[in-house]
Amino acid sequence: MNSDAKTHLSVAQKRQAVEEGLKPFLPDDYLQDILEFWELHYSHEPAFVLQRFLNEICTTATLKSQRSQMLQSVLLALSARERDNQLASKKTKPGKPILRHAESLDMPTRFKGDEHAQALMQCFTALSQRLFKTAPAQIDRSLRLYLMDTIPKLKMASDSIHALRLWTGTDMEAPPSSLLTIEDMQQVINLIYSALCEYVGPVKADRQLSMAVKFLEENHPEWPIRQLL
């Protein structure tokens, strides 16, 4: 999922995150070759193609079995870099909110019900539910259990984690917008996508994500759907 437009990660920062995420899984000499390959072919691609990148580099049975953990490790490292950028932006521009329509300066990325926030929450709810529905019925429960188990590992407030785990385990609508930041939403969409990659394969997951985004853009052109990717 591509959140670079909001956080402006440089190629160097993204490379550092990819290196940090893959370091526990790859020997140093191979890792450097992989980083050069990533920089040449994937450094300017959105984050949701990471699964495709990992498919290319995981050529052994051992690496293939660790692909899901590798994806989560890289996504978490990227999210950490994005949060570092946002904190640095707050320090250098203390009076300027990160989101143009944010209501509270002390909580610039947490929403309180304005029209922009409501549109983002509608996007998040619709996109996540549409991705859930694309999963075959027989793996729906496995998908939700995977999310409930993995959400606590994301870097977000404890109340957001609690609400999101409750949401994924039930048929309730998305948590109140006051509990979620746009970064929280991005992380969860990333997580749903990576889970789909694990359960239905990256080709089907890419297609399902593209179809879901296209459907929502055609039916709700006023929604800022791309801000969640």
Side-chain angles (χ1 to χ4, degrees):
M1 303 297 165
N2 184 13
S3 58
D4 296 348
K6 280 77 67 184
T7 54
H8 303 291
L9 289 184
S10 66
V11 171
Q13 288 175 311
K14 288 190 285 186
R15 178 180 170 123
Q16 289 171 354
V18 172
E19 181 175 13
E20 178 183 326
L22 295 181
K23 193 174 181 64
F25 305 95
L26 303 174
D28 287 342
D29 55 346
Y30 184 50
L31 177 58
Q32 295 309 310
D33 291 339
I34 291 302
L35 290 173
E36 291 180 10
F37 173 76
W38 170 85
E39 190 163 353
L40 181 62
H41 296 285
Y42 288 93
S43 58
H44 297 289
E45 295 288 339
F48 69 78
V49 302
L50 280 172
Q51 183 71 40
R52 196 179 309 153
F53 162 66
L54 292 174
N55 283 343
E56 290 199 53
I57 68 171
C58 293
T59 56
T60 67
T62 299
L63 289 178
K64 288 178 181 178
S65 69
Q66 296 176 319
R67 193 166 50 204
S68 178
Q69 297 97 306
M70 293 166 73
L71 178 61
Q72 285 306 309
S73 182
V74 174
L75 288 174
L76 289 173
L78 285 168
S79 294
R81 291 295 188 286
E82 291 165 359
R83 287 183 177 275
D84 288 345
N85 272 17
Q86 289 154 6
L87 289 174
S89 177
K90 284 179 64 177
K91 289 178 181 178
T92 56
K93 301 178 182 179
K96 182 179 180 180
I98 294 176
L99 287 180
R100 184 177 57 188
H101 298 287
E103 290 184 8
S104 172
L105 293 181
D106 60 333
M107 298 173 69
T109 60
R110 193 172 293 275
F111 305 128
K112 292 191 174 182
D114 62 23
E115 291 182 2
H116 185 67
Q118 290 175 10
L120 280 169
M121 180 54 69
Q122 287 175 319
C123 288
F124 172 73
T125 303
L127 180 57
S128 56
Q129 292 297 337
R130 195 157 189 85
L131 290 174
F132 277 136
K133 290 177 181 178
T134 63
Q138 64 268 28
I139 69 167
D140 178 74
R141 178 170 172 77
S142 296
L143 179 63
R144 290 179 180 274
L145 288 174
Y146 172 85
L147 294 172
M148 291 178 67
D149 181 60
T150 310
I151 281 173
K153 301 174 184 177
L154 301 177
K155 293 186 177 182
M156 62 178 65
S158 59
D159 55 350
S160 300
I161 289 174
H162 177 75
L164 285 166
R165 293 189 78 236
L166 180 63
W167 166 64
T168 56
T170 66
D171 292 327
M172 66 178 284
E173 294 187 358
S177 60
S178 60
L179 289 178
L180 298 181
T181 67
I182 187 172
E183 293 80 19
D184 295 340
M185 297 180 200
Q186 290 164 353
Q187 287 189 80
V188 174
I189 295 299
N190 266 326
L191 189 59
I192 296 173
Y193 168 77
S194 62
L196 283 172
C197 286
E198 185 68 19
Y199 285 102
V200 304
V203 175
K204 285 186 177 180
D206 278 352
R207 183 166 63 247
Q208 289 168 352
L209 176 62
S210 296
M211 290 175 62
V213 170
K214 181 179 179 181
F215 175 86
L216 294 176
E217 286 184 328
E218 289 178 349
N219 288 272
H220 302 280
E222 75 281 7
W223 284 2
I225 188 71
R226 293 285 170 176
Q227 291 190 22
L228 296 180
L229 304 178

